[in-house]
């Protein structure tokens, strides 16, 4: 008996969902379009109609992960009472996501990752609240590069407080409390 062509309208979403699961559980190297077809019980041709090759699916998954992280980073930031809390919340969101999705973060770091708008907003508000003229685009890029560097340090768990303290030093924002400097030494 000949297999019927696959007509489910949400096949592209199912491919992306299962592809993401494989990526997060086994890594990008283990992702196979033929295995996805087998898991979804469709012909490989059905998969290839949506994604002509593995690279196309990986590009889509990279975009999905960046969008997912960007959404997570913004959670609870604008409801925070001040920029210090916003910055701490931003770092907490990033480190929490990285801990929950290490394979997704590792995969996301294989390609350029633009500075999130939420970070630019938080740093601009922080500079305003600390009577600085502004945070330069280079400083914002340096902060984002630093945070991405924090993500690739899995062997040394870094705290949110240490990370925020280091960020403030990076952009020459004065430390609010003397306890920040002692914590930096403890966690470095």
């Amino acid at each position: 008996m000949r297999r019927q062509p696959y007509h489910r309208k949400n096949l592209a979403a199912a491919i992306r969902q299962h592809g993401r699961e494989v990526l997060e559980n086994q890594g990008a190297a283990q992702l196979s379009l033929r295995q996805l077809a087998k898991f979804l019980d469709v012909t490989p041709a059905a998969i290839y109609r949506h994604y002509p090759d593995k690279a196309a699916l990986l590009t889509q998954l990279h975009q999905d992960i960046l969008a997912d992280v960007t959404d997570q980073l913004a959670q609870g930031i604008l409801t925070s009472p001040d920029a210090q809390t916003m910055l701490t919340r931003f770092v907490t969101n990033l480190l929490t996501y990285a801990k929950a999705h290490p394979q997704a973060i590792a995969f996301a770091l294989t390609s350029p990752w633009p500075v999130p708008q939420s970070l630019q907003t938080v740093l601009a508000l922080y500079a305003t609240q600390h009577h600085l003229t502004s945070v330069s685009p280079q400083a914002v890029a340096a902060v984002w590069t630093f945070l991405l560097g924090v993500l690739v340090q899995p062997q040394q768990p870094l705290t949110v407080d240490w990370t925020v303290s280091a960020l403030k030093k990076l952009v020459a924002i004065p430390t609010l409390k003397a306890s920040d400097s002692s914590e930096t030494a403890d966690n470095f």
Side-chain angles (χ1 to χ4, degrees):
M1 182 173 180
R2 187 161 188 254
R3 196 177 212 181
Q4 292 292 324
Y6 198 77
H7 291 293
R8 191 166 67 189
K9 292 181 180 180
N10 61 353
L11 179 59
I15 294 167
R16 286 169 46 193
Q17 178 183 359
H18 188 65
R20 173 85 180 258
E21 289 172 11
V22 170
L23 187 144
E24 290 215 32
N25 293 325
Q26 302 170 22
Q30 300 304 314
L31 188 63
S32 160
L33 296 182
R34 290 194 178 274
Q35 289 298 329
L36 287 174
K38 192 175 199 177
F39 178 83
L40 295 171
D41 196 29
V42 297
T43 65
I47 301 285
Y48 290 117
R49 275 195 290 272
H50 295 281
Y51 298 99
D53 55 25
K54 181 178 174 178
L57 178 57
L58 288 175
T59 298
Q60 181 62 56
L61 291 175
H62 188 265
Q63 293 171 353
D64 291 349
I65 290 168
L66 293 186
D68 193 26
V69 174
T70 299
D71 290 344
Q72 185 64 36
L73 292 175
Q75 293 296 316
I77 288 179
L78 295 179
T79 59
S80 300
D82 59 33
Q84 168 69 32
T85 307
M86 289 178 182
L87 184 59
T88 301
R89 187 70 172 134
F90 182 91
V91 171
T92 300
N93 290 349
L94 181 63
L95 295 180
T96 300
Y97 188 91
K99 185 175 182 179
H101 304 278
Q103 291 279 9
I105 290 294
F107 175 68
L109 290 169
T110 63
S111 297
W113 196 340
V115 177
Q117 181 61 48
S118 55
L119 178 60
Q120 295 174 29
T121 302
V122 167
L123 290 176
L125 290 170
Y126 200 97
T128 300
Q129 286 184 357
H130 288 85
H131 308 292
L132 300 172
T133 55
S134 67
V135 177
S136 71
Q138 294 82 5
V140 172
V143 166
W144 184 237
T145 301
F146 172 81
L147 287 171
L148 294 178
V150 165
L151 295 178
V152 298
Q153 297 298 321
Q155 69 275 10
Q156 179 183 355
L158 301 170
T159 66
V160 170
D161 290 337
W162 178 87
T163 305
V164 170
S165 177
L167 289 176
K168 291 188 288 187
K169 290 177 184 175
L170 186 64
V171 294
I173 297 173
T175 303
L176 294 177
K177 300 181 279 185
S179 64
D180 285 346
S181 60
S182 64
E183 184 170 358
T184 301
D186 293 341
N187 293 316
F188 194 28

